[in-house]
Amino acid sequence: MSTVKYQSKRRIGLLGGSFNPPHAGHIYISKLALKRMLLDEIWWMISPGNPLKKLKPTSFRHRKEIAESLIQDSRIVISDFEFKTNTHITSATITKLKQAYPRLDFFWLMGADNLIEFHKWEQWQTIFHTVPIVVFSRDCYDLKGITSKASRIYAPAFRPIWRFPKKYYPSPPLWTFVKSSTLRISSTQIREEQQNDPIRT
């Protein structure tokens, strides 16, 4: 993603992850976030590697190329920010983004499955206190997500989607949950299908 100079405050959703590989579920969440949160853009923050995952992802370039082939909406932007800054920790990424783009308002987007282990992320509480967080439905993970350690600790900061500010940038900590028709698809599922495909083996 090339450096862009914005002249006014814009609402930017950050969708982080390994994207190993990117898929239709990422597109679905991005479009839903643009609509429900009144965001101007979604930035896919493709990580060089996730420290909590044992499986090493394919090359950044490969994942970025697949992501670019999927996107047909100019409001969804593929970011190489973490790759260029060699950042693997979400809290550090967000801090650097706010320093690089002080005139943008950022929101962290993630699935309910990530909320389950969010308390294991490095400096996870810093994330809660730096940007508003938007959590999306994710198959059978919803109940575990909304009853997770992070959810319990930050229960006072929760606002239902209809009470979540959309006309201005809310002061964190603040988070919400977006219930939606969830696509039953994941990067893990796609990798397993590719491994079992006789044409690919």
Side-chain angles (χ1 to χ4, degrees):
M1 181 181 64
S2 59
T3 301
V4 180
K5 292 183 178 180
Y6 291 96
Q7 299 302 317
S8 60
K9 284 281 188 177
R10 291 167 61 83
R11 295 163 64 91
I12 308 297
L14 303 174
L15 183 61
S18 300
F19 292 90
N20 187 39
H23 54 71
H26 296 127
I27 297 286
Y28 176 77
I29 287 179
S30 298
K31 290 187 175 182
L32 182 62
L34 286 166
K35 179 179 180 180
R36 296 296 299 274
M37 307 310 298
L38 301 183
L39 301 177
D40 294 295
E41 289 180 349
I42 302 291
W43 292 2
W44 284 15
M45 308 301 296
I46 301 180
S47 173
N50 187 331
L52 293 181
K53 291 185 177 181
K54 296 181 180 180
L55 179 65
K56 184 178 180 180
T58 58
S59 71
F60 174 86
R61 179 179 178 180
H62 178 67
R63 287 176 286 145
K64 182 173 181 289
E65 289 176 348
I66 295 177
E68 291 173 339
S69 69
L70 289 176
I71 293 176
Q72 298 180 354
D73 190 325
S74 61
R75 296 173 299 172
I76 302 176
V77 180
I78 307 300
S79 173
D80 57 5
F81 188 86
E82 288 191 321
F83 180 78
K84 287 186 174 180
T85 58
N86 193 30
T87 307
H88 295 75
I89 306 302
T90 298
S91 59
T93 295
I94 294 174
T95 297
K96 291 181 179 180
L97 280 170
K98 290 175 72 69
Q99 292 173 347
Y101 302 98
R103 296 187 62 81
L104 300 184
D105 288 335
F106 292 108
F107 297 76
W108 182 255
L109 315 177
M110 64 182 182
D113 55 321
N114 286 319
L115 189 58
I116 297 173
E117 295 191 337
F118 197 62
H119 63 282
K120 297 181 181 180
W121 293 23
E122 187 170 332
Q123 298 181 351
W124 66 278
Q125 291 181 311
T126 298
I127 301 174
F128 261 104
H129 288 270
T130 304
V131 291
I133 298 175
V134 185
V135 181
F136 294 86
S137 291
R138 184 70 192 278
D139 295 338
C140 59
Y141 298 103
D142 290 2
L143 181 58
K144 289 184 178 180
I146 61 177
T147 58
S148 65
K149 180 177 180 178
S151 298
R152 294 196 305 271
I153 291 176
Y154 283 92
F158 176 80
R159 295 291 182 277
I161 185 66
W162 59 86
R163 289 186 56 200
F164 198 85
K166 299 183 180 66
K167 297 299 183 181
Y168 62 91
Y169 187 71
S171 299
L174 191 67
W175 67 285
T176 190
F177 185 87
V178 180
K179 187 69 177 178
S180 62
S181 299
T182 309
L183 292 179
R184 293 184 177 276
I185 185 172
S186 69
S187 295
T188 300
Q189 176 186 349
I190 293 175
R191 289 195 301 271
E192 291 176 349
E193 291 177 351
Q194 291 176 342
Q195 291 174 356
N196 295 327
D197 189 344
I199 295 179
R200 294 176 179 269
T201 58

